[in-house]
Amino acid sequence: MTDMLTVPAPTLASAAVSIVKPMLLMVTDVRFADGSLAAEGDVLVFRGAPGVAELWDEAQKTWRPAPAEETLKQTKPLVAVFKPGASPAWQATLVAIGQKDSADADAFNAAVNGSPSYFVRAVVKTKRGGVEQTALSPASALFTFVDSTANARFTTQFDTPTTKPDEAHKVRMLLKGDGLQPAGYLEIRAQPNFEVEIANCDAAGNVLAKVLLVASGEIRLTPAASARVVIDGDAETDRLLYAPVGGGAKRWLS
């Protein structure tokens, strides 16, 4: 009975989509053989290429090998909303940034050397003449996500990529070197405690030394491994707690 429905592949605005912006997916011209419109259309999201793809399982929040067609028809889709008009269509919005899988890893990633790529298919469910029907569209064109901030030398980051400034409890200002590796950062945190952290990084972007201003008012200096804290000039202190070279408990210098 599903051959009574004509389901075109979803249309994309572009083959390269900003990962930080919502992506609009459209399913148009879903009709019965007599030309009348079908009643419901949604979208399934895949990673890879048709034939060797993985399906995004919205219910389980994981990527899994794409199942057989009949199983696909029962999979929880990305819900689309019907938009009437001169060219009636179902529209679904895919928000890639900030989505996590069940292991708390990013569900969608910006492409590196063209990978990963994604595509979508429409799934249409309707009832006609007392008979329920479900049909799948062909695959859309392949698309990739791009991260326009990846090449930015200076970035400002909040708690998550989708956190708004008036909702932020953490902000990190980071500067990158010529190879786009982190050179250092300043991070201010309001949760769980008020803290300020300053760090520099090595040529690979790994943290070297840190200065941490903690909520108690302490200042913690953490040099790189085998490095020292060097004071150029006079130093004045009331008391000094040190660890003896030979080991044992720390002592106050008197």
Side-chain angles (χ1 to χ4, degrees), residues 1-7 30-34 36-41 70 73-74 123-136:
M1 298 294 291
T2 56
D3 58 352
M4 294 177 62
L5 280 174
T6 300
V7 186
V30 181
R31 298 178 181 274
F32 291 99
D34 62 4
S36 59
L37 288 172
E40 181 181 341
E70 290 303 313
K73 295 176 182 179
Q74 309 305 318
V123 54
V124 176
K125 297 181 180 181
T126 189
K127 189 172 184 178
R128 185 175 173 86
V131 179
E132 294 185 356
Q133 301 182 49
T134 301
L136 290 166

Side-chain angles (χ1 to χ4, degrees), residues 3 7-8 14 32 35 44 53 60 76 87 98 102 108 112 123 130 139 158 171 173 179 181 187 193 205 214 230 249:
D3 58 352
V7 186
S14 173
F32 291 99
L44 299 172
Q60 301 299 320
K76 182 180 179 181
S87 300
S102 57
F108 298 91
V112 177
V123 54
F158 297 121
V171 61
M173 290 170 281
Q181 75 276 30
E187 183 171 291
N193 299 301
V214 298
V230 178

Side-chain angles (χ1 to χ4, degrees), residues 165-218:
D166 59 353
E167 299 171 342
H169 293 98
K170 179 178 72 175
V171 61
R172 174 179 288 202
M173 290 170 281
L174 181 144
L175 182 66
K176 301 176 184 178
D178 291 337
L180 297 180
Q181 75 276 30
Y185 64 82
L186 165 66
E187 183 171 291
I188 304 172
R189 298 185 284 265
Q191 283 187 354
N193 299 301
F194 289 2
E195 294 183 339
V196 177
E197 180 175 306
I198 305 171
N200 70 329
C201 303
D202 62 17
N206 302 307
V207 172
L208 281 172
K210 292 193 301 184
V211 177
L212 180 62
L213 311 180
V214 298
S216 65
E218 290 181 350

